[in-house]
Structure formats: C-alpha cells, structure tokens
Amino acid sequence: MRKIFFFGIGISAVIGGYLLSCTNSSTTRATQEHIPDRVSYNFDIRPILSDKCLTCHGPDANKRQAGLRLDDPESAFQALKEHPSAHAIVAGEPQLSEVFLRITTKDTAKLMPPPASNLKLSSHEIALIEKWIKQGAKYEKHWAFVAPKKPALPEVKKEDWPKNEIDYFILHKQEQKGFSPNEEADKERLLKRLSLDLVGLPPTLKMMDSFLADKSPKAYEKAVDELLKNPAYGEKMAVYWLDLARYADSHGYQDDGYRTQWPWRDWVIHALNTNMPYDQFVTWQLAGDLLPNRDNEALYKQQLLATGFNRNHKITEEGGVIPEEYRIGYVTDRNDLFGKAFLGMTLECAHCHDHKYDPFSQKEYYQLFAFFNNVKEVGIESVIGGPETYAKKPLMEISNDDVKNILTFINKPDTNRLIVSVMSDLDTMRKTHILRRGAYDAPGDEVQPNTPNFILPFNKSYPKNRLGLAKWLVDKQNPLTARVFVNQVWQEFFGKGIVKTSGDFGMQGELPSHPELLDWLAVDFMEHGWNIKRLVKQMVMSATYRQSAVVTPEKLATDPDNIFLARAPRYRIHAEFVRDVVLSSSGLLVPKIGGPSVKPYQPAGLWEGATSGRGLLSMYVQDHGESLYRRGMYTLIKRTVPPPAMSIFDASNRDLCEVKRLKTNTPLQALVMMNDPTVLEASRVLAAKLLQEKSSTQDKITKAFRLIVSRKPSEKEVSILAAYYDKELKKITKPSAEKLLAVGEYPIPAQVDKTQLAALMRIVNTIYNLEETITKS
C-alpha cells in the first residue's frame, strides 16, 4: 500500500502502489568499526587528528601547544620540545610514541585530548592509531591536494548493469558492502526526474506521450539530448551558479538600494546554453577584462560583462561608514568566494590567523588577497556626489547591443541607460599587507600576489594579476579545480556531492564516498575539453542515475543516507523550480529568457517595514501582466527582504557564496502550497482550461494529474479526487465560489460556470499539494 502525503503536513490519502519513506537524519563521517588490514593516513588517521588534535597541534602557529604539529611528519617525528628524550611518534613503536601513551593514559593530567576540551577518542580510533604506528606511521599528502589520476575501471560481478564508466565505480562499492542496485525507474518517473534536473520544468504532455510510445533502445538518450538543447537548460543550470556567485538585485546592507547586474545573469545563461568550456567560463569571469582581445569589440565586451561575477558582492550606501573598511570587505569577499567556489577551501579561516586545520597561513591568505586588491573601487556607494564616490565603479554601459549587434543574448526591453558593475584594475599596483587580526587598519608586512604552494606553485610565466590567477586555477595539475566542479555538478543531480561538504575539501571536510570515481570524473572532464554538457550527459545516462527511488527496509537500515547509491535519491526541488512547476503545468509560464528581474505577488508591507525609506526598493510595487508569470530565477532578490515564498523553500538570499543549499521541511512550506496567490491562481487557470474541454470529470482530473505530477494517476487516485470534486460541487455556493476565485490577475473565461470552476480549482490545488508534485524521485 502506498501513502501519498500532502506536502509538509500530516494529512495523507491512501492511493495505492508502494510505500515511500523519508528520513531526515544528520550524517557524520562514515567509519567502519572493523580495523582495515592496511590503515590509511588519509582515510583513517587524518580525520581523527583533524577532529580531535589539530586545534592545538595543527597548522596555526599562534595556537600551537608544546611546539608540536601532528599534521606534519617532520614535526611529529622530531624529539619533543619539552621532553628531548621523547618523540611524539616513533614509527613501528606505539609504546615509545608519546602520542599513543597520552591517548591511552589513565592519568587525567596527561590525557590527550585534555578532559577540559570535551573531546575524547573512541576505542576504535585509538586502535586505528595504534595499528597505523605499528605499520610505520606513514604520512600521506591530503587526498585533495594531490593531482587526480585516472584510475582503471574496477571489476564488478553484475557485468550487465553498468551503462557507462560511472556505474563501475558505484557498483563496485555496492558489491563490497553487500548491496545491489535498484531496478530502473519506470518511464514516467524517470522522464520527470530528467526534465526537472535538466531544465527545471516538468515534461510536457507531448514529451511524455512521445517518450512512452518510443520503445527503441535510444529513447532515453533522445530525451536527454532534446532537453540539453532546450534553452531552459541554461536557466536551470544557472540557478546554482547564481547562488555561488551571490547574485542579487540590490546592494545589501542597511539601505539596500537597486542594482542592475541582471545582464551578467543573462550572460551566464547564454554561456551555459552555448556550452562554453568550464576553463573559459571561469577565466572570463575572473579576468575577462585582462584578456588580450580589446581590438575585437564584440568579444571584449562579452568578456568584460562576464567579470560582473566578482562585482556581485554587497556594497554599502551609508554615509557614516569608513570607506576603506568596506573596500577591504569587498576584496575579502572576492578572496573567500574564490576559495569556496573554485578550490573547495575555507580560506576565510586564515583571514585573522593561520588556518587551524589546513596548511594555509595568514600570509598566504593575503598573497591570494593581493590578486583582488587592485580593483578601481571605493568603499561606499553614493547616490549623490561625484562619480569617484561610486563603489559600483568600474562600470560597463550597455547601449541599445550593443544589444542588437554584439550582446544579443541580453533581453533589454527598453531604451533606458543600462549599467553593470565589472572588473578593472588600477594602472599601478595597490600595496597589499597582512592585516593583523584581520583588521583593515592594522597593516603588517607587505606581501606580493602568490598562490598556496601546497595546492600548486604559481608558474613564473604567468602574470601576477587575475589573469595569471585564472591560468593557475585551470592548470590541469591543479588538484582541486576539476574535482570541485564535477562534485558540484554531481550534487545537482544526486542531492549531495561525492564529497558531501562541497565547499570544504580540506581536513575538516567529509571524505569522498567514492574517491576513485571523483578522480576519474575530474580527469575525464579535463581530457574532454572541460565540456559541461558532456559531463551532465555522462551523469544522467548512467544506470546509477536511472535507478528507482524505492526504499526497502534493509537499505534504509544499512544505508539510511544512501551513501552507496543503491537507490535513486529523493528530495524536494529547489524553490525557484517549485514556482516553475506550478506555472508551467498550469500553462501560465512565460518562457521568455533573461531581462530585468520581476516583482510578482508578495505580502504587503514587507519591504516598507525593513527599509530605510529611500530609493527604488523602498516600497514594493508589484508588476502586472506577463511579469507575474516569469520563472522563479527572475524574481527580484532584495537582500535584506528576499522573496518570502522562496525563502521558505530554502532559497539563498545571496549575501555570500553558497555552494550548497539547506534542505528543511517546515509547516510554512505546506502553507505556501495551500495559500500562495501564484499556486491558487494557477489552480484556477488550469481548472478553467479543463472545464472548456469536452471530456468527463475523470478525464479532466487525469489530465490535471499528468500535467502536475507527470504521470498517469491510478484508478483509485482518480476515484478519490472525483469523489472530492462531487463533494465540493455540492458544498460550494455562488458567493463562496466568487470569493475562492478572486485570486490573481489572469482573467476568468466568461463562459465557464463559476461553481464548477471553484470545485475543480479545489481538486487542482489538492494535486499541487501532493508531496510527489515537487519531489524529485
């Protein structure tokens, strides 16, 4: 028996099929309770040291105790500073290793970690350390800092299951753990999953019928290729990049005035749709203004526009601030973004001191900072005063090309002056200093632009500017860039990355669940020209991706977090796509790409209650017409008051770089689906369209169900919904119908019976509230 749960609330309807289960458990680093034959420093020992020891015995020289650094073999094998006759670690000799003696002693005065730290090693962790020392205490460079090599495909027993290389790695790990993969999902659910993942929209009825009728072996691949060619693909993939790039339509901080960065957003969509290689995609955004193409106006203007990526940060407009303090904040934002988005590193930890866990010093932080410290900008954005007071400078003015002849992908609907903040450096290098304690007014030693040697030494042939930094980043010997990106893309399609902490590949990050697969994908991605669409197709064509999401009690008990992917992941789609599903299925969606952000329905008074009272965004003036029915990604984002419905569904307010959204379940989400004007209006509009068709009530319900849920309902599902329709039709009066239908601006057809419309609107709204509607399963 299957229960279809109404979204987010306890009401349920028994509808038939199988039982779907949902878990909401937190995951810690997976550890095996048996001791492996060969203990790995990277996968067994380093996580213990990182969690329990490195705060006091790690990279941060200022906090290091007893002069002992346990993450560095040279230090760990040396005689102890306080006891020259003793050594922290003696290879092969646990009983002579002070580390082992301290973690096993009964003397609380000597016990490590100290009881006051509230940290304690388990017996399993102690046993691992003991065996590691016995085996020679061999240190390894952290896995993420070693350039990936393409491993051979592992052998598997179920040789008929893999559809491409990904599956060999996934199946090999499953077979090691005693799992077997699920069968392939049925065609309806598989097409819905694919469509939501590739274009962020449910499949059309035409596409569903065509896919179900196509019995050829290439049917699925044809659907994949069709969706990858759809312009909506660029919109869907851009949403994650906009989170990462902290794109918004306002400056942030207290005044939070309007900004026009949306042409940069249009460029991102265009670049993804034209399948720009990732190394070029990144280089243009980091340093498009420094590329040697100024004689080619069309190319240079696109490259310059791309650099809006690094001007998406918050900017203050408050007259009483200290401009240099905020300018330093903008550079810090760019530096931290670079670390998190491209390197998967928490560089911000070294803003005030040496990193406590990763081998990244404060000096190295400011050497990297120097690449971003030469921009022609000031700290305050002024609405009065001369042009040199504008923090959003340097600017790019886009004329009516520009839109017509060069920047043709920009959707510029009027003749107004259009200005975008972009990157441009000073003619002479601005000096960069280590900031003591991270304070803008406490400069220390001067530093020159450089990159962390532990990742990859900076090639001396590269210019010491952002272009050189971009070249360093996309160097194929850089161990992080390709790994981090393929992990982010994997996260988009499988719910979490192969490295679950997609913004932290360092010592405190999660270990990769499938390290060999991650390396294979990273190297293969670079070998094939950093081709993003090819990478996406690789993932969705795999048997791993195509599995059913059915959860058996055995798999739920042994792998509740689906680490080994013996079933397809099941989770709610992103906030923007919740809106898109509603608009698309009802026929309201306006498929126009790009253009200025729009202001759809929103509760009254939100902006007014949280704004200082001046500027274009001091009051919310709702749009009308087709602007009410644009995709969710085009909804205007005011940082201090982000769109409420999307915030409730965990959308980012775009304050900072976010490479992974939270996933929560709250009653407010159910209330949005039940009462939001857009959902109610869509319910009314779809019901009106169905009523104008010459078909039975059951056929109308079946069509609505297919449009919204993307599958044919069972007889029992139709029966329950039809009975509900009959009940509502008897209950609804003309006045109550008028009240129910009075939502949204889309006109009601004159020839439609309003009582019938209200009753069918209830049914459609109920279908929108099924958990399955906005769940990828």
Side-chain angles (χ1 to χ4, degrees):
M1 179 179 293
R2 180 184 189 193
K3 290 184 179 177
I4 294 287
F5 292 94
F6 287 94
F7 180 75
I9 53 179
I11 304 172
S12 63
V14 180
I15 306 210
Y18 50 84
L19 177 65
L20 287 179
S21 301
C22 184
T23 61
N24 187 21
S25 60
S26 62
T27 307
T28 57
R29 183 182 286 109
T31 57
Q32 299 176 355
E33 287 306 307
H34 75 276
I35 305 298
D37 293 336
R38 189 73 193 175
V39 178
S40 162
Y41 175 74
N42 260 336
F43 289 89
D44 298 313
I45 302 302
R46 191 192 295 274
I48 301 171
L49 298 181
S50 184
D51 285 347
K52 307 291 174 66
C53 309
L54 296 190
T55 300
C56 298
H57 301 295
D60 187 356
N62 295 322
K63 297 293 183 180
R64 195 176 299 144
Q65 300 295 312
L68 175 61
R69 183 174 178 179
L70 288 176
D71 66 319
D72 177 56
E74 185 177 346
S75 173
F77 291 140
Q78 284 181 350
L80 293 175
K81 186 177 180 181
E82 297 176 358
H83 303 282
S85 62
H87 294 74
I89 297 175
V90 179
E93 301 288 349
Q95 297 304 326
L96 298 180
S97 301
E98 195 67 20
V99 162
F100 181 72
L101 297 176
R102 289 296 191 98
I103 64 177
T104 56
T105 184
K106 302 297 183 185
D107 185 348
T108 56
K110 295 182 178 180
L111 181 65
M112 289 291 163
S117 70
N118 293 318
L119 297 172
K120 185 179 180 181
L121 269 67
S122 69
S123 58
H124 177 66
E125 292 171 326
I126 291 171
L128 282 170
I129 291 173
E130 180 181 23
K131 188 167 184 178
W132 174 67
I133 295 174
K134 282 182 179 178
Q135 292 179 342
K138 183 180 178 182
Y139 275 78
E140 301 164 325
K141 194 173 182 180
H142 183 52
W143 68 268
F145 306 150
V146 179
K149 294 180 180 178
K150 201 171 189 179
L153 299 184
E155 293 183 0
V156 296
K157 298 173 185 175
K158 194 178 174 69
E159 294 180 347
D160 61 339
W161 187 74
K163 294 188 182 296
N164 63 22
E165 296 89 344
I166 289 171
D167 300 322
Y168 285 90
F169 294 98
I170 297 296
L171 183 59
H172 177 69
K173 187 66 70 87
Q174 289 177 5
E175 290 178 344
Q176 281 185 328
K177 303 296 179 185
F179 291 110
S180 59
N182 272 0
E183 74 288 347
E184 186 166 303
D186 67 73
K187 292 187 78 171
E188 288 181 309
R189 288 182 175 85
L190 187 56
L191 183 63
K192 176 185 178 182
R193 177 191 305 167
L194 185 69
S195 187
L196 289 174
D197 272 344
L198 294 187
V199 297
L201 300 169
T204 63
L205 289 180
K206 181 180 178 181
M207 190 173 187
M208 283 189 268
D209 290 338
S210 174
F211 184 59
L212 290 173
D214 190 343
K215 307 300 182 184
S216 71
K218 292 283 188 180
Y220 179 74
E221 186 173 9
K222 284 194 288 187
V224 171
D225 291 339
E226 181 182 339
L227 289 166
L228 286 173
K229 292 175 184 175
N230 190 323
Y233 161 83
E235 294 175 303
K236 192 275 174 184
M237 292 297 289
V239 169
Y240 122 78
W241 196 257
L242 301 186
D243 278 0
L244 179 146
R246 70 273 190 257
Y247 165 83
D249 299 291
S250 71
H251 289 316
Y253 294 113
Q254 180 176 318
D255 289 342
D256 205 15
Y258 181 67
R259 66 167 53 163
T260 53
Q261 284 297 95
W262 60 262
W264 172 80
R265 179 203 62 206
D266 286 10
W267 175 85
V268 172
I269 297 169
H270 170 72
L272 290 168
N273 271 331
T274 55
N275 201 26
M276 180 179 285
Y278 182 68
D279 57 344
Q280 182 181 329
F281 183 65
V282 167
T283 299
W284 283 25
Q285 291 181 84
L286 287 175
D289 57 308
L290 300 176
L291 288 166
N293 294 312
R294 299 206 174 198
D295 292 338
N296 185 335
E297 183 184 17
L299 181 59
Y300 177 67
K301 286 197 172 183
Q302 289 191 49
Q303 292 169 339
L304 184 60
L305 177 59
T307 68
F309 170 83
N310 256 321
R311 302 303 307 288
N312 282 326
H313 54 77
K314 296 189 294 183
I315 293 175
T316 189
E317 305 162 88
E318 297 176 56
V321 303
I322 300 171
E324 181 63 6
E325 179 180 11
Y326 279 82
R327 190 194 69 80
I328 290 292
Y330 308 155
V331 182
T332 299
D333 179 282
R334 289 193 279 270
N335 208 39
D336 296 347
L337 165 71
F338 182 82
K340 191 173 186 179
F342 301 125
L343 302 177
M345 296 293 294
T346 55
L347 302 188
E348 61 269 27
C349 297
H351 180 67
C352 304
H353 50 72
D354 292 346
H355 203 294
K356 291 186 181 297
Y357 302 102
D358 296 323
F360 193 74
S361 68
Q362 189 183 21
K363 179 181 179 180
E364 287 174 310
Y365 180 88
Y366 285 99
Q367 288 175 325
L368 193 60
F369 182 99
F371 286 107
F372 300 108
N373 194 31
N374 209 39
V375 183
K376 296 176 182 176
E377 66 183 343
V378 294
I380 181 171
E381 169 65 13
S382 177
V383 293
I384 56 174
E388 293 307 314
T389 67
Y390 284 83
K392 65 186 178 188
K393 290 189 73 175
L395 304 171
M396 174 184 183
E397 182 168 358
I398 299 174
S399 68
N400 288 321
D401 96 300
D402 290 335
V403 173
K404 288 179 182 178
N405 301 314
I406 299 175
L407 306 175
T408 55
F409 51 84
I410 293 179
N411 183 356
K412 189 174 185 293
D414 53 42
T415 58
N416 291 337
R417 187 179 182 218
L418 186 55
I419 289 177
V420 184
S421 294
V422 292
M423 296 288 275
S424 178
D425 281 354
L426 296 168
D427 295 331
T428 56
M429 183 70 71
R430 180 184 276 127
K431 288 185 177 181
T432 298
H433 297 265
I434 297 174
L435 300 180
R436 294 191 292 269
R437 303 177 307 281
Y440 78 96
D441 57 353
D445 294 339
E446 185 178 348
V447 294
Q448 299 300 317
N450 204 356
T451 53
N453 276 334
F454 74 91
I455 297 176
L456 180 70
F458 192 80
N459 191 315
K460 292 180 181 178
S461 69
Y462 295 160
K464 287 206 167 184
N465 56 20
R466 286 178 284 109
L467 181 57
L469 181 63
K471 291 176 181 289
W472 173 86
L473 181 68
V474 299
D475 188 312
K476 290 185 178 180
Q477 290 305 305
N478 190 310
L480 290 168
T481 310
R483 275 188 180 126
V484 167
F485 181 70
V486 299
N487 191 67
Q488 290 169 353
V489 176
W490 186 274
Q491 177 180 271
E492 281 294 294
F493 298 111
F494 292 93
K496 58 175 175 284
I498 297 172
V499 178
K500 185 180 176 184
T501 50
S502 48
D504 187 1
F505 275 46
M507 311 286 189
Q508 285 291 95
E510 295 276 349
L511 293 169
S513 59
H514 298 77
E516 295 84 5
L517 172 59
L518 182 63
D519 283 4
W520 191 94
L521 284 170
V523 176
D524 188 71
F525 179 54
M526 292 187 286
E527 287 177 346
H528 289 86
W530 306 80
N531 187 323
I532 299 174
K533 281 191 177 182
R534 180 182 178 276
L535 175 66
V536 168
K537 183 173 180 179
Q538 231 173 355
M539 291 182 183
V540 300
M541 286 297 295
S542 69
T544 304
Y545 177 85
R546 300 193 217 183
Q547 291 178 98
S548 159
V550 172
V551 185
T552 64
E554 294 78 16
K555 288 181 180 179
L556 190 62
T558 53
D559 186 17
D561 296 298
N562 200 21
I563 292 169
F564 302 111
L565 292 170
R567 62 183 185 274
R570 179 175 173 274
Y571 54 88
R572 191 189 65 240
I573 57 179
H574 285 334
E576 292 87 346
F577 309 133
V578 172
R579 174 180 173 83
D580 295 346
V581 164
V582 170
L583 292 176
S584 178
S585 58
S586 65
L588 278 172
L589 182 68
V590 175
K592 183 190 297 183
I593 293 179
S597 296
V598 297
K599 300 189 289 297
Y601 308 121
Q602 177 173 296
L606 293 183
W607 283 15
E608 292 79 355
T611 305
S612 62
R614 62 187 179 92
L616 291 174
L617 302 187
S618 59
M619 296 180 64
Y620 191 83
V621 181
Q622 180 202 297
D623 287 334
H624 302 282
E626 68 174 23
S627 293
L628 293 173
Y629 313 116
R630 300 291 307 281
R631 293 196 69 165
M633 70 175 302
Y634 300 120
T635 298
L636 189 144
I637 297 178
K638 180 175 179 175
R639 283 187 163 106
T640 53
V641 196
M646 292 211 289
S647 294
I648 287 169
F649 281 106
D650 305 318
S652 170
N653 69 350
R654 306 275 172 76
D655 263 6
L656 298 169
C657 170
E658 187 172 307
V659 296
K660 182 180 180 181
R661 288 189 182 181
L662 293 173
K663 290 187 177 76
T664 64
N665 288 306
T666 75
L668 290 176
Q669 294 161 355
L671 293 174
V672 168
M673 295 305 293
M674 294 171 69
N675 301 301
D676 185 85
T678 298
V679 181
L680 292 175
E681 181 178 29
S683 301
R684 172 175 65 75
V685 170
L686 179 53
K689 290 179 179 178
L690 293 169
L691 279 177
Q692 294 177 83
E693 296 180 0
K694 294 181 179 180
S695 60
S696 66
T697 299
Q698 286 78 5
D699 287 344
K700 289 177 171 58
I701 290 171
T702 296
K703 186 173 182 179
F705 200 98
R706 292 190 72 201
L707 284 166
I708 296 169
V709 187
S710 303
R711 67 171 174 85
K712 294 175 181 176
S714 68
E715 289 184 9
K716 191 164 189 178
E717 288 168 333
V718 174
S719 175
I720 290 172
L721 291 169
Y724 181 38
Y725 173 76
D726 291 338
K727 180 180 176 182
E728 288 297 301
L729 194 58
K730 292 175 182 176
K731 185 175 70 174
I732 291 175
T733 62
K734 190 172 181 179
S736 65
E738 292 281 358
K739 185 177 181 181
L740 183 63
L741 298 174
V743 60
E745 297 186 1
Y746 200 86
I748 300 173
Q751 67 272 29
V752 171
D753 181 281
K754 291 188 176 180
T755 304
Q756 290 181 335
L757 177 58
L760 191 56
M761 176 183 169
R762 290 276 200 195
I763 307 310
V764 174
N765 187 242
T766 297
I767 299 172
Y768 277 126
N769 276 270
L770 295 177
E771 183 193 36
E772 187 180 355
T773 297
I774 56 174
T775 299
K776 199 190 82 164
S777 61

